[in-house]
DNA sequence: ATACTTGCAAAAGCTTTGCAACCTT
DNA sequence: AAGGTTGCAAAGCTTTTGCAAGTAT
């Protein structure tokens, strides 16, 4: 796993490669994603400190769509309805451990073997340019405690 | 992989176990999910033939939330914004092969080994009641053809 | 000068809830 | 009668888009 600076640099280089202007807004978004390795929601992005004051939500939105189409970032799917985004740098492994109660996300590296297996199987079905996304859902230690105490805490619903 | 009938029977039994009334609406939803092993979107569910005429969207929605809270179904996350649902019967393996262009979804069994590995890793981090969800994204053969022909087809954006 | 970006504000599109009527037990 | 369900309609949200002004090449 490279440093945030490396990841940011990679992103800028990639932008140039695909001839995408690096505007202040885009720099801010890319930097935010480079710093946080974990997926960030649209909401989290527009609320993040340096971005909040300097960019309109619409701009961030359009930036994300642009970056996604250029495959500089990846939009990942989580059951919470908002979209999440991660930088798509070569070292990115989208394998996460997610709490189904509080929604916290952390990395969970299961290794490259899974990656390779997936690649191979997908290729045998004629799929190209594949990438893996893997999530393990469960109850995090904190939420288990909260549940035992019968806390009224709820993420969503019931 | 059990038959649709088995999966449906499992769901009904589970409902009784958690003391959830089996109403016509719920039967229809569960049946729909039992028949289609692949994840179904809320939209697809309310459009499905037997459901469309007999249930209001609000009812389907509430049914899904109820079933989800009871863990009879599972809400899975895909980058397309709408939620998808699958029956959570014991034999369910949430491993999919998804086209990033047309969004088609099919199963892609990587086997139980991955499942076990994930379980173990998650447990070592203190997570309980875990389950795996895995997606492989790529371009399906049809979309590759379309792209080579420079077809104007687009799923969403640009 | 031309083409791309941005902010503001408004439009869309789903999802979620309130409420009154309806079943079930 | 009490409690759980459903449909209809309305409220809420987040995501998308239109447009005119602003910026970079």
């Amino acid at each position: 796993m490279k440093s945030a600076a490396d990841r940011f640099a990679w992103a800028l280089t990639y932008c140039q490669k695909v001839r995408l202007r690096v505007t202040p807004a885009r720099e801010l978004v890319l930097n935010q994603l480079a710093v946080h390795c974990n997926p960030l929601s649209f909401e989290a992005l527009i609320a993040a400190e340096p971005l909040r004051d300097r960019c309109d939500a619409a701009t961030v939105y359009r930036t994300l769509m642009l970056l996604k189409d250029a495959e500089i970032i990846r939009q990942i799917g989580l059951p919470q309805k908002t979209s999440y985004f991660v930088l798509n740098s070569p070292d990115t492994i989208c394998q996460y451990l997610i709490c189904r109660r509080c929604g916290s996300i952390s990395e969970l590296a299961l290794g490259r073997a899974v990656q390779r297996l997936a690649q191979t199987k997908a290729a045998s079905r004629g799929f190209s340019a594949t990438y893996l996304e893997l999530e393990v859902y469960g109850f995090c230690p904190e939420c288990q405690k909260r549940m035992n105490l019968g806390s009224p805490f709820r993420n969503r619903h019931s």
Side-chain angles (χ1 to χ4, degrees), chain A residues 62-125:
Chain A
R62 280 187 281 232
T63 299
L64 288 170
M65 291 308 124
L66 218 56
L67 294 172
K68 183 180 71 152
D69 288 342
E71 307 209 11
I72 298 171
I73 66 174
R74 198 187 287 181
Q75 178 173 7
I76 72 166
L78 302 178
Q80 22 261 64
K81 51 220 63 286
T82 43
S83 302
Y84 282 73
F85 300 87
V86 286
L87 210 59
N88 198 22
S89 65
D91 61 316
T92 302
I93 304 184
C94 287
Q95 303 184 353
Y96 308 108
L97 184 54
I98 304 172
C99 178
R100 22 207 284 227
R101 195 148 186 250
C102 70
S104 67
I105 305 172
S106 52
E107 287 194 51
L108 179 82
L110 295 189
R112 294 279 183 188
V114 179
Q115 213 101 351
R116 272 195 301 276
L117 176 58
Q119 200 89 3
T120 307
K121 285 247 182 185
S124 76
R125 297 257 288 263

Side-chain angles (χ1 to χ4, degrees), chain A residues 28-48:
Chain A
L28 286 171
V29 169
L30 287 171
N31 187 54
Q32 203 60 220
L33 289 169
V35 169
H36 301 265
C37 291
N38 281 351
L40 286 179
S41 66
F42 176 65
E43 191 187 19
L45 275 166
I46 60 178

